[in-house]
Amino acid sequence: MKFSISRENFLQPLQLVSGAVERRHTLPILANVLIKVSDNSLWLTGTDLEVELISNVALSGESLDGEITVPAKKLLDICRGLNDGSEITFEVDGSKAVLRSGRSKYSLSTLSANDYPNLEDWQGQVEFEVSQSSLKRLIDATSFSMAQQDVRYYLNGMSLETEGNLIRTVATDGHRLALCRLQYEGAPLPEKQVIIPRKGVMEISRLIEDDEQAVKIQIGDNHIRIFSTKFIFTSKLVDGRFPDYRRVLPKDGDKEIIAGKDVLKNAFARASILSNEKFKGVRLNLSSGELKITANNPEQEEAEEILDIPYQGDSLEIGFNVAYLIDVFNALASGDIKISLSDANSSGLIEAANDDSALYVIMPMRL
């Protein structure tokens, strides 16, 4: 096996697939990247048995077909350290992989490609195409609400649903919930709900770009696969049932706070400075024409922010985790934000004032 390639053409797909390589590996081969040359194309694969990433690039020079695995991090660090515009020659010599560039030479240990694990073949039951920007919005609008290392393992991921002409993502950690909907322009999709694990969600977000290039998505019983012009990404799915989020969407919020995103975000960010570092609680006092935001901490320090808002109704006092509120403000586009409340013990519903494609639910805090 042998090939020549420019540093830039090698580095881009190598960085891409290295994201899937297991860092705390139990099997030595999981620390390696699979390198395969076939029909003047270079294929790179990284996996941790949960997610798999494949990328390929065309080879213009002479090449010999073959496949081998080498340590991913060492190979990536070597390529990063080479000068821009360098030409790289890679070949297998016995049990070593030899990489040359100019007067530099590196010999890397190898493991047989025959032992490299690959995710088993499976059939996609639902298949559709969306733009990368649409998929990125579905993920970025909800992924921050996923749980981290929760014993309820089905919360450590994001629900992806198809239903007719709707594609929906939902994430919750039990204290907050994020939901985003996309109108699908193609033929109606079958009803399907799967849970993508946290690592898979973060990898997809890293891989896709905010442009109109289409990606194809295949969903099976146990896997999801995404095809783009630069990569093929596969992830196992979480085996579990996602909570029925429809039951927690507040429907009777008769008290509405409407204000500009930046005004709200900045006021809550300032108040959070003097909130309790552990609990991050802020108090909202809603009254006619006014929203007062207060926070305090064990050092007896206090913050107070008063905003003029177009509200005419009953007074209300309610507490929230300010970090959760700021996460939502960051996820929403610029413009006016609507916060719907009913009473001090009920969840708040947050959305853009003129767009209900993304909804956010936050449970109140007792302060």
Side-chain angles (χ1 to χ4, degrees), residues 137-362:
R137 165 154 168 73
L138 282 168
I139 291 174
D140 291 352
T142 57
S143 59
F144 63 88
S145 290
M146 292 186 296
Q148 296 191 50
Q149 298 178 323
D150 197 296
V151 292
R152 298 164 294 181
Y153 61 92
Y154 49 83
L155 297 185
N156 302 320
M158 182 186 77
S159 169
L160 174 66
E161 293 178 44
T162 58
E163 182 184 0
N165 290 103
L166 270 182
I167 301 169
R168 195 183 290 112
T169 52
V170 188
T172 180
D173 61 5
H175 303 286
R176 55 180 171 173
L177 180 143
L179 179 152
C180 188
R181 294 178 286 227
L182 172 72
Q183 284 291 331
Y184 179 62
E185 304 296 332
L189 297 168
E191 210 168 301
K192 182 83 172 170
Q193 182 186 48
V194 296
I195 305 173
I196 308 171
R198 184 182 185 84
K199 179 172 181 180
V201 173
M202 304 317 286
E203 276 301 311
I204 297 169
S205 182
R206 179 181 73 90
L207 291 166
I208 56 179
E209 297 168 8
D210 198 4
D211 61 31
E212 294 309 303
Q213 179 122 24
V215 290
K216 184 169 79 172
I217 300 172
Q218 275 183 354
I219 303 172
D221 277 335
N222 302 307
H223 296 86
I224 183 170
R225 181 167 283 160
I226 299 175
F227 299 83
S228 92
T229 55
K230 294 182 179 177
F231 63 83
I232 302 170
F233 170 85
T234 308
S235 172
K236 286 186 176 179
L237 298 170
V238 176
D239 182 17
R241 187 164 182 81
F242 201 75
D244 183 3
Y245 58 86
R246 293 172 179 86
R247 291 170 52 194
V248 301
L249 292 176
K251 296 179 176 65
D252 54 353
D254 57 343
K255 301 172 181 64
E256 291 184 352
I257 299 168
I258 297 178
K261 168 187 165 173
D262 293 338
V263 172
L264 283 170
K265 180 183 166 184
N266 293 338
F268 279 106
R270 290 191 297 266
S272 72
I273 296 167
L274 299 185
S275 66
N276 186 306
E277 286 187 14
K278 184 177 180 182
F279 300 110
K280 289 289 181 187
V282 291
R283 185 176 279 108
L284 283 65
N285 286 91
L286 184 60
S287 57
S288 185
E290 186 178 280
L291 171 65
K292 183 165 75 171
I293 304 163
T294 55
N296 54 53
N297 58 32
E299 289 79 44
Q300 307 298 313
E301 296 169 325
E302 292 186 5
E304 182 180 289
E305 293 275 343
I306 296 176
L307 304 179
D308 293 325
I309 58 169
Y311 173 75
Q312 301 296 326
D314 296 338
S315 297
L316 173 68
E317 183 176 295
I318 189 169
F320 286 113
N321 182 318
V322 69
Y324 293 172
L325 291 170
I326 291 172
D327 282 345
V328 170
F329 299 150
N330 286 333
L332 287 166
S334 294
D336 283 350
I337 287 175
K338 180 170 74 174
I339 304 174
S340 302
L341 306 166
S342 55
D343 59 63
N345 301 312
S346 299
S347 298
L349 178 68
I350 308 174
E351 59 192 306
N354 56 0
D355 179 8
D356 65 353
S357 63
L359 303 174
Y360 301 92
V361 181
I362 301 180

